Amino acid sequence: MINRQTEQGNGTRRVTVREGASHVLLDDVAKQIIEQLQEDGRRPYATIGKAVGLSEAAVRQRVQRLLDAGVMQIVAVTDPLQLGFPRQAMIGLRSDGDLESVADRLAEFEEIDYVVITAGSFDLLAEVVCRNDAHLLEILQKLRTVPNVVSTEAFVYLKLRKQTYSWGTA
């Protein structure tokens, strides 16, 4: 297991990633609760309870168990453009060393919001949000100094056509 700490408000939240873990088996009620929260993450537990046939307290307990198990997170999804970050890019990285340690190092960058180890022409992909092109260049220069990073290639987003967080619970 890998434990990561992330800043959240005034405290620190620990996120646990289970390596090699298979997906958690969810019953139909848990899936319905997740679907309700995907539609509106601020939906009251009492409203969810009516929709899924549970009490407010039972929904609260189930949601907490789903959060604790790392099955889901409840977050505010923002529009980077509205927050003053008009430049977004996906950066492909090639590495000649341990991919796990490179991925962990990339995850420490504040500007990076997404890191994955991949198969194919890139070893890793990292998504960044930037204030402008100069900021993107600064990030690329920092990434090239990470040990075992051999090369980077930036794919600048020109227009976001679709972004969803509601993949199924089937």
Side-chain angles (χ1 to χ4, degrees):
M1 265 193 244
I2 300 171
N3 288 314
R4 291 200 172 88
Q5 292 186 358
T6 56
E7 293 298 319
Q8 189 177 46
N10 294 333
T12 300
R13 179 165 185 248
R14 184 176 301 273
V15 177
T16 302
V17 179
R18 290 177 203 87
E19 291 188 61
S22 61
H23 69 283
V24 175
L25 294 177
L26 303 174
D27 65 11
D28 289 337
V29 174
K31 291 176 184 179
Q32 290 173 28
I33 291 170
I34 291 169
E35 289 168 0
Q36 290 283 316
L37 290 168
Q38 283 177 323
E39 288 177 17
D40 180 358
R42 295 175 42 176
R43 184 165 287 157
Y45 292 147
T47 304
I48 295 170
K50 288 177 186 171
V52 303
L54 293 176
S55 69
E56 177 181 352
V59 171
R60 180 176 286 105
Q61 289 175 345
R62 281 184 170 247
V63 167
Q64 192 58 54
R65 281 196 303 252
L66 292 167
L67 294 169
D68 291 344
V71 172
M72 68 175 191
Q73 296 176 7
I74 300 173
V75 299
V77 178
T78 60
D79 179 351
L81 290 172
Q82 299 288 333
L83 296 176
F85 296 98
R87 176 60 67 223
Q88 291 180 268
M90 183 66 69
I91 301 172
L93 299 101
R94 291 184 182 88
S95 173
D96 65 359
D98 176 45
L99 296 179
E100 298 280 344
S101 63
V102 175
D104 288 343
R105 177 66 183 101
L106 298 178
E108 294 173 5
F109 281 72
E110 181 180 318
E111 300 91 347
I112 295 177
D113 60 21
Y114 176 82
V115 177
V116 292
I117 297 173
T118 64
S121 61
F122 296 104
D123 297 309
L124 301 117
L125 293 174
E127 184 180 57
V128 298
V129 292
C130 310
R131 293 183 304 274
N132 50 40
D133 287 337
H135 188 210
L136 175 57
L137 178 59
E138 177 186 317
I139 293 166
L140 287 169
Q141 290 171 333
K142 284 175 31 180
L143 289 175
R144 291 176 181 144
T145 68
V146 172
N148 298 317
V149 170
V150 174
S151 66
T152 62
E153 186 173 343
F155 300 90
V156 175
Y157 297 1
L158 298 176
K159 186 175 187 178
L160 181 62
R161 199 60 173 175
K162 179 180 180 179
Q163 183 174 9
T164 181
Y165 298 99
S166 60
W167 44 85
T169 55

